[in-house]
Amino acid sequence: MNLSLTEDQKMVQSMAREFALKELEPKAAEIDASGEFPSDSIKKMAKLGLLSMVVPEKYGGAEFDFVSLAVAIEEISRACGSTGVITAVHNSLACWPIVNWGTDALKEKYLPRMATGELLGAFGLTEPNCGSDPAGMETKAVPDGDHYLLNGTKRFITNGGAADVFVVFALTDPAAKHRGITCFVVEKDFPGFSVGKHEDLLGLRATSNCELIFEDCKVPKENVLGEIGKGFKVAMGTLDVSRIDIGAQAVGIAQAALDKSLAYSQERKQFGRPICEFQMIQEKLAEMATSILAARLLTYNAAFQKDAGKKRFSREAAMAKLFAASTAVEVTREAVQIFGGYGYTKDYPVERYFRDAKCMEIYEGTSEIQKIVIARSLLA
Ligand code: CAA
């Protein structure tokens, strides 16, 4: 078994790392405080191919493999958690379902412009009354001539206020429950679409997390993504891919917390010695580094399974997300502890890492949901 990255994957890693250190890290605290969406950085990322990582070359994409995508998301998130998830959502939750389920016409219509960053993507599944249970959604779509009319509200939508194109799920046959859900590609300028409340989040504050409102929103029939009534499988299959990215995002945030803790513990002196000389600090550093490596390997494993063509990799993706999320929360908590009083202030970035990390256990399926996915796969 070869656990090393290929030359191409290493190239993506160093390109993403260099960009993230130069462009994203210096702005991360500022956009966390202001909540400003990092539009300029996103435009620069498009030029590097970081917005077209899963888009085939035929449509102007960089067509990286999924290990490269994970590696890039890790490096971006190491510098800025908000930008990490903005990138992950655009690539995996918006571009990927169009690549995988779109008709040729839909691919032609959207992918080239999503690849250049002209169109930013988002994913509308969650609703005010349905998070863990997306089959319980209330948004409805009814046919009306050449269009569908969508009515309902989506909530907690990353990129919601900044995106141009949305992969949205709605009931076309409410009685059929999850078998009556259909997926649509909705543009922000379609009549009847509007952006609602902007969430004031604990972490990942620059992600323009907003409500999406559909009031007789007119969506052309050719914008149905996949088959009518098969939208639930589009959602689940898409989340399998995207959960790998969240594993990578969690690893990146945890790595940043370890990097900063290593440096600080060598500078900070107490009782006349750098605190890294105390075994209780060493224990923390050792445990942080060990769980980060384990989380990274689980994440690479899930991405590798996808690249190797495994049809169903839900279990591997859920394991990666579950473990990496709890690693990120634990490692960032310990980083705040190592920094002591300073860790609890905004003078250092570790409190931001701690706030950002918590979301990893919540979005794209809570940790409890990941355990359900893993257990069902074991018992199947
Ligand atoms: N791939 C393909 N098909 C799948 C699948 C997968 N990964 N998972 C389930 N299915 C299929 C099943 O085979 C079944 O098919 P049939 O209709 O043919 O029988 C169907 O889907 C229903 O499956 P379940 O009975 O398992 O469905 P369920 O209602 O019990 O739900 C669940 C399963 C795992 C709990 C699922 O609801 C789930 O993942 N919930 C979490 C939702 C989530 O992750 N939301 C995240 C929102 S997006 C977000 O957070 C983005 C952001 O902002 C960054």
Side-chain angles (χ1 to χ4, degrees):
M1 192 182 206
N2 185 356
L3 292 176
S4 337
L5 297 178
T6 63
E7 286 310 310
D8 282 353
Q9 290 160 352
K10 282 186 200 156
M11 213 179 65
V12 172
Q13 185 179 46
S14 67
M15 177 265 284
R17 182 175 295 166
E18 197 184 316
F19 173 79
L21 279 176
K22 204 169 124 204
E23 170 76 21
L24 304 179
E25 195 167 38
K27 297 181 186 163
E30 193 184 314
I31 63 171
D32 169 63
S34 67
E36 190 192 333
F37 191 83
S39 304
D40 286 352
S41 303
I42 299 298
K43 282 192 191 111
K44 290 180 188 165
M45 286 168 62
K47 292 208 168 81
L48 296 173
L50 292 167
L51 293 195
S52 67
M53 287 189 266
V54 301
V55 176
E57 282 177 7
K58 184 178 163 193
Y59 298 106
E63 200 171 351
F64 295 151
D65 58 19
F66 284 85
V67 171
S68 299
L69 175 59
V71 162
I73 298 292
E74 178 185 332
E75 292 303 330
I76 293 165
S77 307
R78 192 169 166 185
C80 175
S82 286
T83 312
V85 70
I86 291 166
T87 317
V89 166
H90 173 83
N91 282 287
S92 295
L93 286 178
C95 293
W96 170 248
I98 298 176
V99 169
N100 203 45
W101 286 279
T103 57
D104 288 345
L106 266 191
K107 290 181 194 175
E108 284 289 354
K109 191 169 169 188
Y110 293 110
L111 292 177
R113 288 182 293 155
M114 291 174 88
T116 59
E118 184 189 333
L119 300 179
L120 186 75
F123 183 80
L125 179 67
T126 302
E127 297 185 358
N129 297 321
C130 90
S132 291
D133 177 21
M137 72 176 56
E138 293 164 6
T139 298
K140 291 185 183 62
V142 292
D144 181 44
D146 293 343
H147 290 78
Y148 275 90
L149 295 180
L150 268 60
N151 280 287
T153 303
K154 299 289 174 182
R155 187 140 190 215
F156 301 126
I157 307 305
T158 304
N159 296 352
D164 308 282
V165 176
F166 301 83
V167 170
V168 173
F169 300 84
L171 288 163
T172 40
D173 181 1
K177 306 225 164 109
H178 77 264
R179 291 190 183 133
I181 293 172
T182 300
C183 181
F184 299 87
V185 181
V186 178
E187 294 180 31
K188 73 169 183 206
D189 295 329
F190 284 175
F193 173 83
S194 61
V195 174
K197 180 184 171 223
H198 180 277
E199 304 291 346
D200 190 4
L201 300 177
L202 174 71
L204 302 175
R205 293 176 47 75
T207 54
S208 195
N209 192 298
C210 291
E211 262 180 355
L212 309 180
I213 299 166
F214 302 88
E215 290 166 312
D216 282 337
C217 174
K218 250 182 123 176
V219 181
K221 282 189 170 163
E222 71 255 19
N223 276 31
V224 167
L225 188 55
E227 294 173 47
I228 305 284
K230 296 277 175 68
F232 192 77
K233 293 197 182 195
V234 174
M236 292 298 115
T238 300
L239 284 165
D240 282 345
V241 168
S242 183
R243 285 171 184 162
I244 305 174
D245 292 355
I246 303 306
Q249 187 195 17
V251 171
I253 294 171
Q255 184 65 51
L258 175 61
D259 297 341
K260 297 288 188 284
S261 301
L262 282 168
Y264 183 80
S265 66
Q266 291 172 76
E267 285 158 18
R268 172 76 171 166
K269 289 200 175 95
Q270 290 294 282
F271 304 101
R273 290 194 277 163
I275 61 170
C276 67
E277 290 182 13
F278 295 111
Q279 286 191 348
M280 271 193 252
I281 299 292
Q282 291 181 0
E283 183 200 33
K284 290 187 197 303
L285 296 172
E287 286 185 352
M288 289 156 89
T290 306
S291 12
I292 290 169
L293 179 57
R296 183 178 290 120
L297 290 175
L298 275 172
T299 301
Y300 286 1
N301 172 59
F304 177 81
Q305 299 298 334
K306 167 72 185 135
D307 284 333
K310 188 167 185 191
K311 245 181 132 188
R312 190 75 184 259
F313 50 92
S314 317
R315 186 201 306 183
E316 289 85 352
M319 283 176 166
K321 181 184 182 287
L322 172 68
F323 190 82
S326 74
T327 295
V329 170
E330 183 57 19
V331 165
T332 55
R333 193 181 66 78
E334 286 290 45
V336 173
Q337 194 68 16
I338 290 170
F339 276 71
Y342 289 108
Y344 204 61
T345 71
K346 294 204 187 287
D347 293 351
Y348 290 91
V350 288
E351 63 80 34
R352 168 167 53 85
Y353 301 154
F354 186 42
R355 288 185 285 106
D356 286 353
K358 183 57 199 163
C359 201
M360 314 294 116
E361 293 186 323
I362 299 171
Y363 65 11
E364 306 225 5
T366 61
S367 292
E368 290 78 2
I369 290 293
Q370 306 312 316
K371 289 177 193 169
I372 289 173
V373 172
I374 296 163
R376 281 188 185 171
S377 143
L378 291 171
L379 295 166

